[in-house]
């Protein structure tokens, strides 16, 4: 096996239904290095965190260069790296293919490809199928993300089945164990869900058949809360709650 094939196989094998991979998501080199030091075998990136660090909008295709640069640095940490590339930073399958090939050359093990668009709509199914196809074949684990729950539009099971040629399926916003089990039954691919504070525990998600649990933007948002709590404590003020995704995007530049 080539190095890329071994990397792909190692990352794929971490996706075990009933014994899910807990994937923390970093937003810069320092956060990635801290997570690697804690023994996580694989680390992802968070598009919101990367966007916020660079003062750019999230999910708007604005951070391609910054994302590639972070991925290159993270690949030197000795852990498997999967990269949130939003919708591939393009609607052109050829450009998406070139991007994934470049990431593979850097040593990236996986990518997330989402069908949600900045205007709150979903990419047409046929187009996203072609985008997924373009990302395949580079020795990178392609996690096809559908934002039906996130954006509250579209048919989740239709999208999950349509993206069955990917290596994995990601449905952020899916949290009910019964609904999770329904999605697991609808696909042969390993299911990735987003951990939600107050939602099902890792054990409950495992019991529903989940193969991967991502933290998404949670760690970045918790870091913002920690910084605010520290400085407000100097003034004798109480700590604020962890900001929501919407609260962070509201202070970022508009697309």
């Amino acid at each position: 096996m080539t190095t890329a094939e071994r990397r792909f196989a190692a990352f794929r094998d971490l996706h075990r239904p009933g014994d899910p991979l807990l994937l923390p998501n970093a937003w810069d080199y320092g956060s990635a290095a801290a997570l690697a030091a804690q023994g996580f075998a694989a680390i992802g990136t968070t598009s919101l965190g990367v966007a916020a660090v660079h003062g750019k909008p999230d999910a708007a295709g604005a951070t391609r260069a910054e994302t590639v640069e972070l991925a290159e640095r993270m690949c030197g940490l000795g852990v498997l790296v999967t990269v949130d590339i939003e919708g591939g930073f393009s609607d052109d399958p050829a450009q998406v293919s070139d991007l994934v090939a470049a990431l593979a050359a850097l040593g990236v093990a996986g990518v997330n490809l989402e069908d949600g668009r900045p205007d709150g709509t979903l990419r047409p199914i046929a187009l996203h199928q072609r985008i997924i196809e373009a990302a395949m074949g580079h020795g990178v684990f392609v996690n096809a993300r559908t934002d039906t729950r996130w954006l509250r539009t579209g048919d989740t099971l239709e999208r999950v089945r349509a993206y069955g040629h990917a290596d994995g399926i990601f449905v952020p916003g899916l949290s009910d164990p019964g609904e999770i089990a329904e999605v697991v039954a609808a696909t042969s691919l390993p299911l990735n869900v987003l951990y939600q504070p107050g939602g099902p525990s890792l054990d409950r998600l495992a019991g529903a058949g989940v193969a991967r649990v991502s933290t998404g933007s949670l760690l970045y948002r918790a870091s913002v809360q920690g910084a605010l709590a520290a400085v407000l404590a100097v003034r004798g003020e109480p700590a604020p709650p962890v900001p929501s995704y919407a609260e962070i995007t509201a202070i970022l530049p508009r697309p």
Side-chain angles (χ1 to χ4, degrees):
M1 296 176 72
T2 66
T3 299
E5 288 171 337
R6 287 194 295 271
R7 186 168 56 238
F8 173 89
F11 188 57
R12 179 199 60 208
D13 291 347
L14 292 175
H15 295 70
R16 297 182 291 265
D19 182 20
L21 165 67
L22 175 58
L23 183 78
N25 297 83
W27 58 93
D28 61 9
Y29 180 84
S31 59
L35 291 166
Q38 291 299 311
F40 287 98
I43 299 171
T45 66
T46 163
S47 66
L48 176 65
V50 174
V53 165
H54 294 282
K56 294 188 175 184
D58 182 35
T63 57
R64 185 187 190 279
E66 294 84 355
T67 297
V68 171
E69 181 181 3
L70 175 58
E72 182 174 16
R73 292 181 178 182
M74 287 175 60
C75 284
L77 289 171
V79 297
L80 296 167
V81 174
T82 183
V83 182
D84 181 350
I85 57 172
E86 299 183 0
F89 299 112
S90 175
D91 276 341
D92 181 348
Q95 291 185 15
V96 175
S97 178
D98 289 345
L99 171 61
V100 176
L103 290 170
L106 295 177
V108 165
V111 294
N112 272 7
L113 266 175
E114 64 197 48
D115 59 9
R117 287 176 154 168
D119 63 0
T121 64
L122 295 170
R123 179 181 270 160
I125 288 176
L127 175 56
H128 201 59
Q129 287 176 319
R130 294 198 297 274
I131 294 290
I132 293 168
E133 289 169 4
M136 302 289 288
H138 299 293
V140 172
F141 186 100
V142 177
N143 204 33
R145 168 177 153 174
T146 181
D147 286 341
T148 52
R149 294 305 181 96
W150 213 239
L151 300 177
R152 300 182 181 180
T153 184
D155 185 315
T156 299
L157 293 183
E158 178 187 22
R159 297 258 169 177
V160 165
R161 294 185 179 110
Y163 305 158
H165 54 311
D167 297 303
I169 290 289
F170 184 18
V171 188
L174 190 66
S175 61
D176 178 81
E179 293 179 343
I180 290 172
E182 185 179 15
V183 174
V184 168
T187 180
S188 61
L189 301 181
L191 176 64
N192 180 190
V193 300
L194 188 68
Y195 176 77
Q196 299 181 52
S201 66
L202 190 61
D203 285 344
R204 286 202 72 191
L205 293 172
V210 170
R212 171 167 153 187
V213 178
S214 301
T215 60
S217 66
L218 174 61
L219 303 187
Y220 170 73
R221 292 184 289 109
S223 76
V224 172
Q225 187 270 346
L228 291 174
V231 71
L232 290 176
V234 177
R235 299 198 310 201
E237 298 177 17
V242 174
S244 67
Y245 175 90
E247 287 172 327
I248 296 294
T249 56
I251 63 175
L252 297 181
R254 305 303 299 168

